[in-house]
Amino acid sequence: GRGFFEHGPSGAPWRTGAAGGVIFGGVPLSAALASVGADLDAPYVTVTGGDPLPADVAPRDVVVERSVPAAYALRHAILAWELNGAPLPRVHGGPLRFVVPGYFGCNQVKWLRRVAMTASTSDAKIMRSGYRFRPIGEAGSEGQPSMWAMPVKSWIPSPLGIVEAGRVVVRGVAMGGTEPLARVEVAVLREGQEAPRWAAAAFTGPDLGRFAWREVSATLDLAVGERARVVLRATTAGGATQPEHRRENHRGYGHNGWRDHGVTLRACAPGDASCRETEERAPTGRRGTVQLSAAGERGARLFAAHEPSCATCHALAHARATGVVGPELDGLRLPYTRIENAIRHGAGAMPAFGERVSEGELRDLATYVFEVTR
């Protein structure tokens, strides 16, 4: 939900989407620690990742080391070496990863090197001041809430934009963070209507446990020409409910407000050609409609050919890319320097490519994205 924040926080400008479900396999953290006689009464579990540390930077400023409350981790965390029944791939943290379900991704430390029961939280920068829920404009500090438990959340993947009038099936997804879901509700905000009238949505997908996303659906009736905003609201078994609005914070973390995450639907007559269009995705372009420089042409080839392909994650009309993991590039219109920095150093979930491509290739790729999104 970072893309909804008006102050433009740094990082990937996510709005909705980019969620999935997997099954991790491994050993319970509590069993592993008990087998080596660890002090299970310590208040924190501190885990250290195996990311390579640059020689010219203070180690504690860059090491990926997170501390989480031991009371929760000893009940739910695992040391994972499998993903969907197969050995955990290196890109997902293999051979061993710390998985604490219900917590934000920053706590799911990859390439695990060390696990310790500790009396206090880590003094690493990523823990001391990073991933803190802080007021806009303030620096991160230990006095601010750490990004541990995820809040209850839901949104609508389908349909988007224009639909045929009549009976419309809305499909959503929801999860309860650290708690199981109790219910999900749907509301239709028609033009001029602010207060929602909530109705129950039905759970339609499998229940894979308290930490898994659940699929839900609801049926609506929309008249020809009607324009409506459809929203979902999820509630956990413990009574936590999605708020209407986001909680403002500097880095744009944890946005689970239901109003922003709704979708706007417009109903057209059955058979109307406009029903084949969409309002909420970038318009589809064709290669060749943009004048590229020589560097841009080289970057276009690299966009498609690099392994992994940029098109795996990003949508970009000119490249006929329809990836759904990363933000759609067509609507971003970023300055060249921000594009280059994102490719070089990484942004959000995107890894850094500075050491994977040559300097010339990096600039060609940045030039291409810049030129086709003007």
Side-chain angles (χ1 to χ4, degrees):
R2 178 181 284 136
F4 294 113
F5 287 80
E6 294 178 358
H7 68 285
S10 62
W14 302 110
R15 293 174 76 87
T16 58
V22 301
I23 297 176
F24 284 106
V27 62
L29 171 71
S30 57
L33 291 175
S35 72
V36 295
D39 175 15
L40 301 186
D41 292 326
Y44 297 101
V45 176
T46 297
V47 292
T48 309
D51 307 67
L53 303 182
D56 58 344
V57 180
R60 304 306 290 170
D61 284 348
V62 294
V63 66
V64 177
E65 186 172 271
R66 294 285 295 176
S67 300
V68 297
Y72 183 86
L74 291 174
R75 288 199 306 272
H76 301 296
I78 68 171
L79 306 183
W81 57 70
E82 285 185 354
L83 182 71
N84 293 337
L88 185 64
R90 182 168 178 78
V91 70
H92 287 296
L96 193 66
R97 179 175 186 168
F98 181 68
V99 173
V100 52
Y103 273 35
F104 282 99
C106 57
N107 303 287
Q108 321 293 336
V109 175
K110 296 179 177 181
W111 312 301
L112 198 59
R113 291 177 62 90
R114 180 176 179 267
V115 180
M117 301 296 297
T118 59
S120 59
T121 58
S122 169
D123 65 351
K125 185 176 181 180
I126 191 176
M127 188 74 218
R128 186 177 68 251
S129 58
Y131 294 101
R132 296 283 174 169
F133 203 96
R134 51 191 169 109
I136 297 173
E138 288 191 13
S141 68
E142 292 181 276
Q144 300 154 346
S146 187
M147 301 306 295
W148 283 331
M150 290 188 291
V152 58
K153 189 170 185 176
S154 66
W155 76 77
I156 299 168
S158 174
L160 301 175
I162 302 175
V163 297
E164 285 193 358
R167 186 62 54 90
V168 177
V169 177
V170 172
R171 294 178 173 84
V173 291
M175 63 96 185
T178 59
E179 299 180 356
L181 288 169
R183 66 182 183 275
V184 179
E185 300 163 290
V186 63
V188 181
L189 300 174
R190 291 179 166 85
E191 205 160 345
Q193 176 190 348
E194 281 296 315
R197 291 191 289 272
W198 298 103
F203 288 110
T204 55
D207 183 356
L208 298 179
R210 64 187 294 177
F211 302 114
W213 286 91
R214 295 291 306 277
E215 294 176 318
V216 299
S217 68
T219 303
L220 313 174
D221 287 302
L222 297 178
V224 174
E226 185 174 12
R227 186 182 180 90
R229 184 78 173 167
V230 184
V231 293
L232 292 182
R233 182 179 69 176
T235 300
T236 70
T241 298
Q242 284 181 258
E244 179 176 359
H245 299 293
R246 62 183 174 266
R247 182 180 169 191
E248 298 292 347
N249 67 94
H250 187 80
R251 293 303 304 272
Y253 291 145
H255 181 7
N256 68 330
W258 56 256
R259 186 172 287 275
D260 277 349
H261 286 90
V263 296
T264 299
L265 302 180
R266 181 166 67 84
C268 64
D272 189 328
S274 66
C275 280
R276 295 193 294 271
E277 300 171 0
T278 180
E279 290 183 339
E280 296 212 347
R281 292 183 64 87
T284 301
R286 295 193 304 271
R287 286 191 60 90
T289 60
V290 177
Q291 284 293 109
L292 295 176
S293 64
E297 290 285 359
R298 294 193 298 270
R301 293 190 290 271
L302 184 61
F303 187 93
H306 186 268
E307 289 296 334
S309 168
C310 303
T312 302
C313 293
H314 292 289
L316 182 61
H318 184 270
R320 300 190 184 280
T322 57
V324 296
V325 178
E328 293 184 359
L329 298 177
D330 292 283
L332 294 185
R333 297 182 64 84
L334 295 175
Y336 173 86
T337 53
R338 285 194 61 184
I339 297 172
E340 183 184 308
N341 284 337
I343 298 171
R344 186 185 304 276
H345 302 296
M350 186 177 84
F353 285 87
E355 296 182 357
R356 306 186 188 194
V357 297
S358 69
E359 185 66 21
E361 289 174 327
L362 190 150
R363 291 177 179 173
D364 288 346
L365 187 55
T367 299
Y368 171 62
V369 174
F370 176 77
E371 290 180 349
V372 298
T373 55
R374 289 305 91 197

